[in-house]
Amino acid sequence: MSEPHGHISRGARLIELLPVFAALVLHAVAHGRWLVCAPAMVVMLWAVLAGVRLDYTPARLLLAGALGFAVGVVMLGVSVPPTAPFPPSIFGPVCGALVGLCVLCGLGRNRYYAWTYACLLVALSMRVRALPGMAWVLGAVVLSVLLVAFVEGGFLRTGLRGAVGFGVFTVLLVGLALLLARTVAASEGLLMDAVYRMTSGTGSGGGAEFQSQVDIRSISRIPRGSERALLVVSGARPERLRMRVFDAFDGERWTTSAALAKERLTLPSGGAGEERLLALTVLAPLGAWLPAPAGMRGVDGARPEVQGGWVMKGEGLEGTALVLHASPEERLPPEAAPGESLTTLPEELKAELRPLAEALTGKALTAREKAEALETYFHHHFEYSLDVNLKGEGSPLAVLVREKRAAYCTYFASAMAALLRTQGVPTRVVGGFAPEERNTLTGATLVRERDAHAWVEVYLADEGRFVAFDPTPWRSRDEALGLTQGPPGLLGNVVGAVGTFFRKLGAALRYHPMDQLRAVGSSPVFWALLTAGALWRWWRGRRTGGRVKAGRGALDTRDAKLAAAYARYLRTLKRRAGLVPAPSETDDELLSRLRAARGDAVADVAAEFLAHYREARYRGGPAGPARWTELVERLEAVLRLPVTDRRSSGPTPSPASTGSGPGSPRADRP
């Protein structure tokens, strides 16, 4: 099970495990999981001081993960459930499994594996908001990695190249933790939505269901909008993108009437110089509807069907780059006054809401004045919340307005539309997106799932058209959705631009792969790069042809494990001693250079490895992969020691380690 570890000092092993300790502390502080993390740290500390090392095997890895998972399950019943972006019943066992994997890999000296699992644990732990001291503990993770580099890794001896290499590794490690944390945040809405559906047995009012109807319930909860990107719009940022219009309300749900769904319209044309162009790319499926601003005049790249309410329907638009022609102002075209259907309500609801509407609209006379009065009222007296509880005396909308309960956009829009209908004002509810994330560097606006929104459109007789009003209190909405941070700086815009480019490319390759292949095949840039690459390969082959052929001939060996052991031996000499064999240099000549540069203790270990290697390579000796690995690890260990300690360590070389002089065979150099 375990064996004393004599090649690496206890202090070096402790330093090597510092990133794991820091990750465990961060998780314990963030989620109060000291009963899980503290025993794990004690076990690792005891194992290091006792010189114990666990052998790493896949079976033990699975066992450690299963044991940690089981401990996480048990902890749910004996401690406070951890705070997480998804249910504790999932989060607790998963984090327990990660703790078990960290411990096993740390005790087996598989430090990169241990650091990877620690990185995952850090990413999940960082999802706790407003955690005091989180930055300090995260900084301890970074500093511990750097300390490993300086003290245990011989960082100072590797020079500028080693400094740059380890700097890149550290940036990648920290970046991976931040990226994973962001990924968890991006998937939070989808994950919570799935859990909500499984536990409630009903839809949450999002996705395809939201596109067909809007339900008004006494109690409702929607997941926090995810970061999943749906659209990219280039050009002036539209204020709203319309998708569906709901004109029928039965007191519990808004739907699209059959008359409006059957109506077919023709987009108006505009004069020269009186339109703006928007480039739009659909990144993900949105059903059969094309989001577009009010005042559309045409679409290049598709032929959507224009239905009643000036909404556009189109199939298979994912991954397609479209050009939208729209009016300079987001205004719907003029149309005839609607019938009485847009002022109807169930009689009981109308009787309940009419006194509230009259009190709130006051002396307002026109439809515009009444709409503005209600819009202002909702802005100033309500708070946005993803959790809605409208239980009380009367209908949910009456409870909302009368008691100023917190709600989200569909409730505010429904309440405002119903109040206006009691006053004889034709009103409907509209669903779509209110995009906010604009990249000032590229002018592109990224529309995410969290930007889904609902508002009202009121028919104003003096204009002869429907006009948008939005009762949602935006300040508290941004706070509830975590959108209160300021605009990104230059670096953030650059990163965003690169991400948007790859999103568009990925959508095009996913939904229209053949079109992209044809576009690449017909591109002169592609053929120019292909020709340049071929010429470079030909020139390099002529320049180094002799050496390449000789090197390939030396690789002729049937034992892949033996070749891998020798390749690791050469990498160790390169990384730890800075020695790279010349094309015509023998192993004995390289060994002489190593002896001159690092002393007899190091060279003796290398000579012993070469002796076993030659015995297995040329005579079929009994030594196996375990022995080769042990010798290479011993070489790595002795190269880490200070120069003064090397002279008193190292094994006595075997007689075969001296080789056969200048004529000795040259070993493989993968």
Side-chain angles (χ1 to χ4, degrees):
M1 288 291 294
S2 61
E3 62 181 8
H5 190 74
H7 303 310
I8 302 297
S9 67
R10 293 183 177 86
R13 289 195 66 193
L14 283 175
I15 293 173
E16 195 173 64
L17 290 173
L18 279 178
V20 178
F21 280 109
L24 292 175
V25 171
L26 184 145
H27 180 65
V29 171
H31 300 283
R33 306 280 284 176
W34 287 104
L35 289 178
V36 175
C37 298
M41 289 187 285
V42 170
V43 168
M44 286 196 298
L45 183 61
W46 168 82
V48 171
L49 295 179
V52 174
R53 173 184 176 182
L54 292 178
D55 292 330
Y56 174 92
T57 64
R60 288 177 180 172
L61 186 71
L62 292 175
L63 180 61
L67 181 61
F69 188 93
V71 172
V73 172
V74 173
M75 291 304 300
L76 293 174
V78 299
S79 64
V80 178
T83 305
F86 43 90
S89 58
I90 299 174
F91 180 84
V94 168
C95 289
L98 288 175
V99 171
L101 297 174
C102 285
V103 172
L104 175 69
C105 294
L107 296 182
R109 291 209 66 238
N110 298 92
R111 63 178 178 184
Y112 295 115
Y113 285 22
W115 291 0
T116 300
Y117 293 125
C119 178
L120 291 170
L121 194 62
V122 168
L124 293 179
S125 302
M126 287 174 61
R127 288 298 300 136
V128 179
R129 298 187 181 90
L131 177 66
M134 175 64 76
W136 292 101
V137 183
L138 181 61
V141 176
V142 179
L143 290 177
S144 61
V145 174
L146 293 176
L147 187 59
V148 172
F150 275 97
V151 179
E152 192 270 342
F155 183 69
L156 297 177
R157 298 193 301 271
T158 58
L160 179 61
R161 185 169 57 182
V164 173
F166 204 88
V168 171
F169 170 76
T170 304
V171 171
L172 289 176
L173 184 70
V174 178
L176 178 60
L178 296 176
L179 178 62
L180 288 171
R182 187 174 181 84
T183 302
V184 172
S187 62
E188 179 179 344
L190 297 175
L191 188 59
M192 285 301 296
D193 186 45
V195 174
Y196 177 87
R197 289 175 184 271
M198 288 188 293
T199 55
S200 65
T202 60
S204 64
E209 182 188 349
F210 174 77
Q211 296 176 14
S212 62
Q213 66 182 37
V214 175
D215 293 338
I216 303 301
R217 305 168 181 166
S218 296
I219 296 180
S220 179
R221 183 191 186 283
I222 61 172
R224 183 176 180 266
S226 81
E227 301 283 333
R228 188 166 70 108
L230 303 177
L231 302 165
V232 177
V233 182
S234 298
R237 185 185 69 185
E239 187 175 0
R240 301 179 186 89
L241 294 172
R242 306 168 77 251
M243 278 188 67
R244 293 300 306 272
V245 171
F246 308 104
D247 61 331
F249 186 52
D250 62 3
E252 294 183 354
R253 64 182 57 85
W254 290 90
T255 57
T256 302
S257 65
L260 192 66
K262 293 179 180 178
E263 186 178 0
R264 296 296 178 267
L265 302 173
T266 302
L267 293 176
S269 59
E274 295 183 357
E275 69 177 18
R276 60 172 177 165
L277 301 180
L278 298 174
L280 183 144
T281 301
V282 182
L283 303 177
L286 294 174
W289 307 97
L290 173 62
M296 284 294 301
R297 294 177 178 174
V299 180
D300 295 340
R303 300 185 64 181
E305 183 181 68
V306 184
Q307 297 188 355
W310 302 102
V311 296
M312 294 190 291
K313 189 173 184 179
E315 301 285 350
L317 298 178
E318 296 84 3
T320 305
L322 307 174
V323 177
L324 308 183
H325 298 255
S327 61
E329 298 178 356
E330 293 187 22
R331 296 195 304 175
L332 292 173
E335 55 187 291
E340 295 182 355
S341 61
L342 265 67
T343 59
T344 59
L345 285 175
E347 289 301 324
E348 185 178 351
L349 180 63
K350 181 182 291 187
E352 192 174 18
L353 293 180
R354 182 183 288 118
L356 295 173
E358 292 174 350
L360 295 174
T361 55
K363 300 179 180 180
L365 301 177
T366 66
R368 179 185 292 277
E369 290 174 348
K370 292 179 180 181
E372 289 175 346
L374 289 177
E375 186 181 51
T376 301
Y377 173 74
F378 281 104
H379 286 173
H380 292 169
H381 295 87
F382 287 81
E383 295 292 326
Y384 187 98
S385 175
L386 300 175
D387 294 287
V388 176
N389 186 346
L390 300 179
K391 281 191 172 183
E393 184 178 350
S395 67
L397 292 183
V399 173
L400 170 70
V401 177
R402 186 174 55 246
E403 301 183 16
K404 301 182 180 65
R405 299 274 185 94
Y408 50 86
C409 58
T410 54
Y411 282 87
F412 295 127
S414 299
M416 181 176 175
L419 290 170
L420 287 172
R421 286 191 173 193
T422 66
Q423 302 300 296
V425 178
T427 312
R428 63 195 185 189
V429 173
V430 182
F433 297 96
E436 297 184 65
E437 188 177 334
R438 186 171 188 271
N439 191 313
T440 57
L441 190 65
T442 62
T445 299
L446 196 62
V447 182
R448 299 183 183 271
E449 209 170 49
R450 70 187 182 199
D451 297 323
H453 193 51
W455 60 94
V456 299
E457 287 182 346
V458 181
Y459 187 81
L460 302 181
D462 57 338
E463 293 191 24
R465 60 164 56 92
F466 282 91
V467 177
F469 291 87
D470 192 346
T472 297
W474 279 88
R475 178 190 56 79
S476 59
R477 174 186 180 272
D478 290 345
E479 292 177 354
L481 298 181
L483 304 177
T484 55
Q485 64 271 22
L490 177 61
L491 180 59
N493 283 326
V494 171
V495 173
V498 174
T500 299
F501 169 78
F502 282 107
R503 287 189 181 98
K504 294 168 68 174
L505 179 61
L509 291 174
R510 178 180 180 183
Y511 297 108
H512 305 286
M514 296 308 299
D515 293 344
Q516 298 305 308
L517 289 177
R518 282 192 292 268
V520 170
S522 61
S523 171
V525 176
F526 168 76
W527 290 108
L529 293 176
L530 188 63
T531 303
L535 290 174
W536 180 81
R537 291 284 298 176
W538 172 79
W539 173 80
R540 182 176 175 85
R542 290 197 59 183
R543 184 169 176 264
T544 61
R547 282 186 297 170
V548 171
K549 290 180 180 179
R552 288 178 179 172
L555 294 177
D556 185 18
T557 177
R558 296 181 180 180
D559 194 334
K561 294 182 179 179
L562 182 62
Y566 185 76
R568 183 178 175 184
Y569 163 76
L570 291 181
R571 286 196 302 270
T572 300
L573 294 183
K574 178 180 177 181
R575 293 172 55 190
R576 300 296 181 183
L579 297 179
V580 179
S584 60
E585 188 176 22
T586 66
D587 286 320
D588 292 331
E589 291 169 345
L590 179 63
L591 185 63
S592 297
R593 285 205 292 144
L594 177 64
R595 191 178 301 276
R598 291 292 187 263
D600 293 337
V602 175
D604 290 345
V605 179
E608 185 177 358
F609 169 81
L610 288 175
H612 286 282
Y613 172 78
R614 288 167 175 166
E615 184 72 19
R617 175 71 176 87
Y618 300 107
R619 301 175 186 172
R627 181 58 175 164
W628 305 328
T629 301
E630 179 187 354
L631 289 171
V632 175
E633 288 182 352
R634 188 188 303 172
L635 180 62
E636 291 178 348
V638 75
L639 280 171
R640 290 193 188 101
L641 295 175
V643 177
T644 55
D645 294 341
R646 293 181 193 150
R647 304 188 185 280
S648 59
S649 63
T652 302
S654 62
S657 66
T658 59
S660 55
S664 62
R666 214 170 285 147
D668 296 346
R669 287 177 186 160

